[in-house]
């Protein structure tokens, strides 16, 4: 029997980028103790207050069908949150509730791309981006944000890619960025906004890490002049409230776009569990102080890792201004990120993600997730630095 080209072509015929992760999990199952610095998953699980709310709302009867585009209470909370944080007037009609940020990316691309359109995205990127674009039948095209520019996308590169494609419909950006930890500057975002306006592009702004900003401020491109009508913002409770498994997120955008995506929700998700939505509204009511509490361990660990890596050049951290990761440049070792991550896992039982898992712009780098206790993280990073120094010294030795 034949399978669809859509489903068999999601990874583009290559690896999905998770080979090291799967290998580390196999080692754990076989009894090896592995320090997992791979996935952006909080080591402290969903707060007891939210769990109690989930229980309370489930027992109150919120276990049946819900409004397909989201419960009014939650949509209202999100609209208020976005209005206050961005200064852009936002109403519940601008909000669609989706099953996590990934569900938002899926819905947004289906709303704005036709089969054969080119959908642009920035490399390095979260691993699901190109596959999500392929679900529409659109053509994913990566635009490199290079290490020499601090992984800030260059508007001229975006403009060139749009012109070369000829049929570019959208651009997907992510700030604070996974995997690099880079926060895009106002200058970068203003340049992106200008290109989107000039080229007639929709802008998809993945802002799931908006509460994890360590230096500077988060700027939503939707708040820039003329961008509200062409921007779809992806948000989620996963990172801000440690609710990764609850699968609740949102898309915020123009009313017409949201109405179309609500129709898509009717034919796909058929709504999100009511008790989860009500608990999410409860969680949002806990306010910014609670979100800062959830983010604080990653700020502290980011500072620990950056300090730990000072004074050596074998493993050079990219200044991490946001998100729960530190990207480390290990090109001095002469190895690819994949080869280095494999060596680190085999020798020291520390699992990190290769930069190549997130595109070619991060080749020769590895991503360290700040998602284990401080003492475990410090010990694992020490092993990473030790291995990088050893390999860099070998690589620098003159050939005999």
């Amino acid at each position: 029997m034949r399978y669809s080209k859509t489903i068999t072509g999601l990874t583009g015929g290559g690896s999905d980028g998770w080979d090291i992760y799967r290998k580390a999990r196999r080692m754990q199952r076989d009894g090896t103790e592995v320090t997992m610095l791979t996935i952006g998953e909080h080591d402290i699980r969903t707060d007891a207050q939210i769990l109690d709310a989930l229980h309370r709302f489930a027992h109150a009867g919120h276990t049946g069908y819900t409004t397909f585009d989201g419960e009014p209470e939650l949509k209202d909370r999100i609209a208020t949150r976005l209005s206050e944080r961005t200064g852009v007037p936002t109403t519940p009609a601008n909000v669609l509730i989706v099953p996590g940020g990934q569900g938002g990316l899926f819905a947004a691309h289906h709303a704005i791309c036709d089969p054969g359109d080119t959908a642009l995205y920035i490399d390095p990127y979260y691993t699901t981006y190109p596959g999500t674009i392929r679900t529409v039948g659109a053509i994913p095209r990566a635009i490199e944000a290079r290490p020499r520019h601090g992984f800030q996308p260059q508007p001229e590169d975006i403009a060139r890619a749009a012109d070369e494609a000829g049929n570019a419909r959208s651009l997907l950006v992510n700030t604070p960025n996974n995997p690099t930890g880079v926060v895009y500057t106002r200058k970068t975002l203003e340049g992106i906004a200008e290109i989107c306006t000039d080229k007639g592009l929709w802008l998809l702004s993945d802002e799931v890490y908006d509460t994890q900003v360590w230096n500077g401020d988060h700027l939503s491109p939707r708040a820039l002049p003329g961008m509200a009508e062409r921007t779809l913002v992806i948000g989620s409770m996963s990172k801000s409230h440690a609710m990764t498994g609850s699968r609740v997120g949102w898309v915020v955008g123009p009313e017409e776009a949201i109405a179309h995506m609500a129709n898509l929700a009717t034919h796909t998700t058929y709504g999100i569990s009511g008790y989860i939505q009500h608990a999410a509204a409860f969680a949002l009511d806990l306010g910014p102080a609670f979100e800062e509490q959830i983010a604080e361990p990653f700020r502290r660990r980011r500072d620990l890792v950056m300090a730990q890596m000072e004074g050596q050049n074998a493993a050079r951290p990219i200044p991490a201004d946001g998100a729960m990761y530190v990207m480390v440049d290990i090109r001095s070792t002469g190895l690819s990120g994949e080869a280095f991550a494999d060596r680190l896992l085999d020798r020291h039982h520390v699992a990190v993600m290769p930069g190549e898992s997130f595109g070619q712009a991060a080749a020769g780098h590895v991503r360290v997730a700040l998602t284990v206790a401080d003492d475990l993280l410090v010990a694992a990073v020490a092993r990473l630095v030790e291995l990088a120094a050893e390999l860099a010294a070998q690589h620098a030795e003159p050939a005999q």
Side-chain angles (χ1 to χ4, degrees):
M1 297 298 292
R2 185 177 66 84
Y3 298 97
S4 74
K5 293 179 181 178
T6 298
I7 206 71
T8 57
L10 286 182
T11 63
S15 168
D16 62 1
W18 291 98
D19 295 336
I20 287 289
Y21 170 76
R22 285 189 285 267
K23 178 178 177 179
R25 287 300 190 200
R26 287 195 300 271
M27 291 172 64
Q28 287 182 318
R29 288 194 297 271
D30 291 341
T32 302
E33 188 173 334
V34 177
T35 304
M36 295 293 288
L37 306 179
T38 49
I39 288 185
E41 177 86 77
H42 306 69
D43 53 316
I44 300 173
R45 298 299 186 179
T46 305
D47 190 272
Q49 299 173 80
I50 301 173
L51 295 178
D52 288 343
L54 285 164
H55 180 84
R56 185 168 64 251
F57 286 116
H59 277 275
H62 298 285
T63 56
Y65 290 127
T66 60
T67 309
F68 301 145
D69 62 344
E71 293 292 89
E73 179 185 14
L74 179 56
K75 293 180 66 169
D76 181 69
R77 296 295 196 285
I78 293 167
T80 299
R81 184 181 194 267
L82 267 289
S83 296
E84 292 174 349
R85 292 188 176 214
T86 67
V88 182
T90 306
T91 72
N94 298 118
V95 180
L96 173 76
I97 306 302
V98 292
Q102 183 60 45
L105 291 166
F106 180 88
H109 279 100
H110 277 261
I112 61 179
C113 290
D114 286 319
D117 285 341
T118 295
L120 308 174
Y121 61 103
I122 304 301
D123 174 355
Y125 53 86
Y126 180 60
T127 55
T128 67
Y129 283 1
T132 303
I133 291 167
R134 292 186 187 104
T135 67
V136 190
I139 302 167
R141 175 160 180 165
I143 302 165
E144 289 192 6
R146 301 174 182 85
R148 67 174 180 271
H149 295 136
F151 290 109
Q152 296 280 335
Q154 302 300 296
E156 59 270 23
D157 293 336
I158 299 170
R160 185 181 310 111
D163 288 340
E164 289 174 355
N167 63 344
R169 181 68 65 88
S170 64
L171 170 66
L172 170 58
V173 300
N174 170 218
T175 179
N177 182 258
N178 174 16
T180 64
V182 168
V183 175
Y184 293 174
T185 65
R186 174 176 286 272
K187 180 180 178 182
T188 293
L189 290 173
E190 287 176 342
I192 288 172
E194 182 178 351
I195 295 301
C196 287
T197 301
D198 289 347
K199 305 298 181 183
L201 300 176
W202 280 94
L203 180 63
L204 279 64
S205 182
D206 181 348
E207 301 180 23
V208 300
Y209 293 96
D210 67 344
T211 61
Q212 297 181 2
V213 178
W214 320 135
N215 289 318
D217 299 302
H218 171 67
L219 172 63
S220 174
R222 181 169 175 260
L224 295 174
M227 290 303 292
E229 62 266 27
R230 64 169 64 250
T231 301
L232 299 175
V233 172
I234 314 299
S236 171
M237 303 294 291
S238 291
K239 310 304 181 183
S240 60
H241 292 78
M243 294 176 66
T244 52
S246 294
R247 308 313 305 141
V248 57
W250 56 84
V251 182
V252 170
E255 289 188 22
E256 185 177 5
I258 297 300
H260 285 304
M261 282 184 276
N263 189 30
L264 178 67
T266 304
H267 292 83
T268 51
T269 63
Y270 216 66
I272 309 302
S273 298
Y275 68 94
I276 293 179
Q277 291 193 60
H278 285 286
F282 167 85
L284 289 172
D285 283 342
L286 295 174
F290 179 82
E291 296 177 15
E292 291 171 7
Q293 175 186 326
I294 298 298
E296 179 54 33
F298 305 111
R299 178 191 296 274
R300 182 181 68 247
R301 292 166 186 169
R302 176 264 186 198
D303 292 344
L304 280 173
V305 170
M306 297 300 287
Q308 187 178 1
M309 289 192 169
E310 287 182 357
Q312 55 83 41
N313 291 312
R316 297 185 296 275
I318 304 303
D321 293 328
M324 55 175 69
Y325 314 101
V326 172
M327 182 72 90
V328 182
D329 183 347
I330 50 85
R331 287 177 291 180
S332 66
T333 67
L335 298 182
S336 68
E338 292 172 340
F340 182 87
D342 199 54
R343 188 84 59 93
L344 182 65
L345 180 58
D346 285 342
R347 186 178 299 185
H348 294 295
H349 303 161
V350 173
V352 297
M353 291 296 286
E356 291 85 355
S357 292
F358 309 100
Q360 287 308 300
H365 294 67
V366 293
R367 189 194 73 174
V368 176
L370 310 174
T371 50
V372 297
D374 295 15
D375 57 338
L376 293 176
L377 178 64
V378 168
V381 170
R383 296 186 193 107
L384 186 157
V385 171
E386 175 189 342
L387 178 62
E390 175 189 332
L391 295 173
Q394 294 174 2
H395 183 61
E397 290 176 1
Q400 298 297 319

